[in-house]
Amino acid sequence: MNTSRGEDREDDSATTGEAWFRTLFESSPDPAWIIDKHRFVECNGAAIKALGYNSKDELLDTHPSELSPPSQPDGEDSYAKAERMIAIAQERGRHRFEWLHQRADGSLFFAEVTLSVVAFGGRQAMYCAWRDITERKEAEAGLLLARSIMESTSEGVLVTDANGLIISVNPAFSKITGYTAEEAIGRKPSLLKSDHHDAAFYRQLWQAVLKDGRWEGEIWNRRKSGEMYPEWLTINRIPAVDGMPVRYASVFHDITEQRQANERIQYLAFHDALTGLPNRALFQDRLVHAVERARREKRRLSVTFVDLDGFKEINDSLGHDVGDLLLQEVAQRIRARLRRGADTVARLGGDEFVVLMEDLKDVEHCACLAAEIIEDLGAPFELRGHAVRVGASIGLAFFPEDGGEALELMKHADTAMYAAKASGKGAYRFFQPEMLENLNQRIKLETELRHAIEDGALELHYQPKICVTDGKLRGVEALVRWPHPERGLVMPQEFIPVAEETGLIVSLGNWVLAEACRQAAAWRARGLEITVAVNVSARQIAKDRLVDRVAGLLAEHALPASALQIELTETALLTAPELATETLDRLREMGVIIAIDDFGTGYSSLARMRRLPIDLVKIDRSFIENMDHDAKDAEVVRTIVALAKALGLDIIAEGVESRRQSEILSDSGCTVCQGYYFARPQSASQLESWITEDGGRA
Ligand code: C2E
Ligand code: MG
Ligand code: MG
């Protein structure tokens, strides 16, 4: 050791300097090292702590790469890179770089390393200081992530500065709006503004952003192409931090498709898929509003119920496909009659349509429309090669006369429509309060009739058919009667239409057929060979295996086919000609006689009649009725008789009430008659006595 004072002092100051340095070194909150000959020879407490070791001994005499993962993030081998960094520091005196370290537990952290050449213990060494920059690295990584999300997301992003100028946009922004980043940056977002919203809308939007820091909602914007589109937009205020000024970030996506899908769903919910017309829900909604308007403006409106006559038969006989086509055609025909924009037609379901007419000048206009619709729908439809005919019954109710509320008006129009059907179809009726009572009675009637059929409580009466030349019985027509506990004998005119409409006609008809066969067999057993004619409805042909049923009944009662006649009305034949023709052909092959009932009321041409599988023509009562005082009707009857004969068909007149009528008929060549003049419909036992009276008519 050197003992000179000066040296001592020098030594002192050196010692003091080193002590200073040591104190600084040890107390530094940042890790620090001394590197000598490429190895760590000294470190402070912060360094031990940073690396997660317990004591200095574990760390000293290590190469920097030993406290690092095998390679650095840039891929360079940690040992080689450490050597390179030290060399640069030695050359320049100082070097700063980033280094990835590994802690004792294996975890990694980033440090910014500064290497400085220092004198240490009289020799040149390297001072190494670290600053943990993990946080900064994470922030950088976060930023990178944010950027890559912004680049790849399908949401459009637009950022504005505090002055509302666009400072950045992402690719989705360009894709949605059509503006490139260059075109958008520096402009205001009003670049995208459409005329869809008023100034107040934008004012409220910005107030919300300023007050709550956020706004979210649907907004209509305009693309560069000029096209308007709806978007779902979120605007967020990004508050000022670390000297960064306030910014506004808008994130949005195009909801055109979503809206279209919603609109489609809405459309389907409020329209009838088959006809495209509004459905009941939409109609009711419109009616409710129309009623409010009419009340306010003191105007009248009408609700018109249209129900098809004979639709069920077509659906049953020709199939649902044809039924669907028919409904589409019907919708079109009704629509063609309406004022575009002023009237609404809807399909309520099944074969029920309803029309709303607002701003009605007079009730007459509506009545005319009803008449026109009836006429239009009465014209034949050509569907898949079938000529199909239906009719329509219409009911009308008016605001304010017939009801003050939407539902009430609908109910009353419906009631009026039922009244129209009950009065013989193909007609329109205005609502009248009495109809409600009638409707209730109808419902009661239906229930009671159902029970009567189930309980076998109906009866058959038989009306003779007489040959005027010899006064002998040619057969009887079975006519159904309903002995009602309170109302006495109810006639078919009253309940057959209800049975037709409700479908009860099928079970009723089956009962009639069976009962008629049973009675015919019972008569035969007593030597009375009486042919019984049974009325059959179109629905029995459509719904039921009529041929099998008849064959079964004949066999069951050991009856010849000639014991049975089938009467089918002209209209029934015309509703579903193909099916009827096929069924009737087979019945005729069996030997059952087929008669066309109420002939002359269904407008069928005789040429057409020729092709129908019939044996017998029954001239409708309406012609016979007026024959004796209306020359025209007498002429019609003569023509029918002549033509029927020419076609080889038998002929019978029904509803003959006078001697005069019977004479005209026999003069015309019609010798078989049925009517009150000869005999009324009567019970089986009454008929038996009637036959034996007068020396025997059988
Ligand atoms: P329809 O088949 O044309 O039967 C003839 C109707 O005329 C019968 O009325 C009969 O009583 C009536 N009539 C007979 N002679 C005269 C007359 O001289 N003057 C008048 N004014 N009327 C006469 P009814 O029994 O009331 O039957 C009415 C209609 O009900 C029948 O007309 C038929 O279409 C239907 N009907 C009756 N029974 C049945 C049935 O079992 N099944 C089906 N599907 N329909 C039936
Ligand atoms: Mg008949
Ligand atoms: Mg008849």
Side-chain angles (χ1 to χ4, degrees), residues 245 288 311 495 536 600 686:
V288 165
F311 174 72
F495 61 86
V536 163
Q686 284 170 332

Side-chain angles (χ1 to χ4, degrees), residues 179-246:
Y179 290 102
T180 64
E182 293 76 54
E183 288 168 327
I185 289 171
R187 309 273 306 265
K188 293 203 162 192
S190 57
L191 173 71
L192 305 170
K193 203 171 145 186
S194 72
D195 315 323
H196 197 86
H197 309 283
D198 56 9
F201 174 84
Y202 292 102
R203 204 162 44 239
Q204 275 165 13
L205 184 159
W206 282 108
Q207 266 165 11
V209 176
L210 294 175
K211 184 168 155 278
D212 312 326
R214 181 184 167 82
W215 182 87
E216 186 174 18
E218 196 180 306
I219 185 168
W220 281 83
N221 272 346
R222 191 188 297 282
R223 299 187 221 274
K224 191 181 173 189
S225 64
E227 184 197 357
M228 299 236 294
Y229 70 98
E231 62 177 37
W232 187 261
L233 171 66
T234 311
I235 304 178
N236 274 302
R237 187 161 58 99
I238 305 168
V241 265
D242 290 346
M244 291 272 285
V246 172

Side-chain angles (χ1 to χ4, degrees), residues 101 133 156 292 332 335 341 353 365 394 425 516 535 558 601:
H101 291 282
I133 56 165
E292 278 168 15
Q332 219 137 40
R335 197 157 30 185
F353 295 84
H365 176 69
I394 292 182
K425 305 185 174 173
N535 295 286
T601 55

Side-chain angles (χ1 to χ4, degrees), residues 463 477 480-481 492 512 535 597-598 621 654-655 657 675-676 681:
Q463 185 176 32
E477 178 176 11
V480 68
R481 301 288 182 261
V512 171
N535 295 286
D597 205 350
D598 300 349
R621 194 168 71 218
E654 67 179 346
E657 292 185 347
Y676 294 170

Side-chain angles (χ1 to χ4, degrees), residues 577-682:
E578 277 94 30
L579 193 87
T581 304
E582 193 196 318
T583 307
L584 298 184
D585 269 335
R586 290 179 58 200
L587 287 170
R588 280 179 86 206
E589 276 163 28
M590 281 164 52
V592 177
I593 303 248
I594 309 293
I596 183 161
D597 205 350
D598 300 349
F599 186 78
T601 55
Y603 323 101
S604 68
S605 72
L606 281 164
R608 197 155 170 195
M609 204 170 83
R610 210 166 142 185
R611 276 181 274 129
L612 295 174
I614 52 174
D615 307 283
L616 184 65
V617 174
K618 227 175 161 181
I619 308 171
D620 191 63
R621 194 168 71 218
S622 55
F623 298 104
I624 314 298
E625 209 173 12
N626 301 321
M627 212 170 48
D628 34 5
H629 51 263
D630 187 334
K632 240 196 238 146
D633 272 354
E635 193 48 44
V636 170
V637 169
R638 256 191 289 280
T639 313
I640 294 175
V641 175
L643 277 163
K645 293 219 154 159
L647 293 171
L649 299 170
D650 283 335
I651 188 118
I652 176 173
E654 67 179 346
V656 182
E657 292 185 347
S658 68
R659 185 198 181 108
R660 174 100 186 97
Q661 287 167 350
S662 124
E663 281 168 4
I664 299 175
L665 282 164
S666 59
D667 287 349
S668 311
C670 173
T671 51
V672 183
C673 290
Q674 179 182 344
Y676 294 170
Y677 175 64
F678 299 97
R680 292 197 169 244
Q682 47 206 289

Side-chain angles (χ1 to χ4, degrees), residues 389-405:
R389 263 175 194 275
V390 281
S393 297
I394 292 182
L396 299 133
F398 295 89
F399 173 88
E401 295 89 336
D402 301 328
E405 303 300 332

Side-chain angles (χ1 to χ4, degrees), residues 340-481:
R340 211 171 269 277
D343 307 327
T344 300
V345 54
R347 179 173 168 233
L348 298 181
D351 58 351
E352 270 192 338
F353 295 84
V354 60
V355 179
L356 161 66
M357 300 184 90
E358 286 188 71
D359 195 9
L360 268 187
K361 272 174 239 48
D362 50 32
V363 171
E364 281 315 301
H365 176 69
C366 217
C368 280
L369 178 88
E372 282 165 359
I373 291 178
I374 289 172
E375 199 185 318
D376 288 352
L377 298 185
F381 291 84
E382 187 70 30
L383 306 169
R384 295 239 171 95
H386 303 277
V388 176
R389 263 175 194 275
V390 281
S393 297
I394 292 182
L396 299 133
F398 295 89
F399 173 88
E401 295 89 336
D402 301 328
E405 303 300 332
L407 286 179
E408 196 183 12
L409 286 167
M410 284 179 78
K411 187 176 164 226
H412 290 174
D414 191 27
T415 305
M417 186 276 291
Y418 262 99
K421 270 205 194 288
S423 73
K425 305 185 174 173
Y428 67 86
R429 288 282 178 277
F430 293 112
F431 171 75
Q432 256 134 34
E434 309 85 81
M435 289 174 175
L436 285 174
E437 182 49 30
N438 294 347
L439 187 71
N440 288 339
Q441 278 173 6
R442 257 179 85 81
I443 293 166
K444 190 166 168 237
L445 185 82
E446 185 193 330
T447 327
E448 287 178 345
L449 178 61
R450 188 182 305 267
H451 289 135
I453 297 168
E454 281 165 8
D455 302 346
L458 300 179
E459 276 177 16
L460 286 186
H461 279 193
Y462 301 90
Q463 185 176 32
K465 302 174 176 179
I466 306 292
C467 174
V468 289
T469 45
D470 59 10
K472 297 277 185 219
L473 182 73
R474 281 298 169 85
V476 294
E477 178 176 11
L479 294 160
V480 68
R481 301 288 182 261

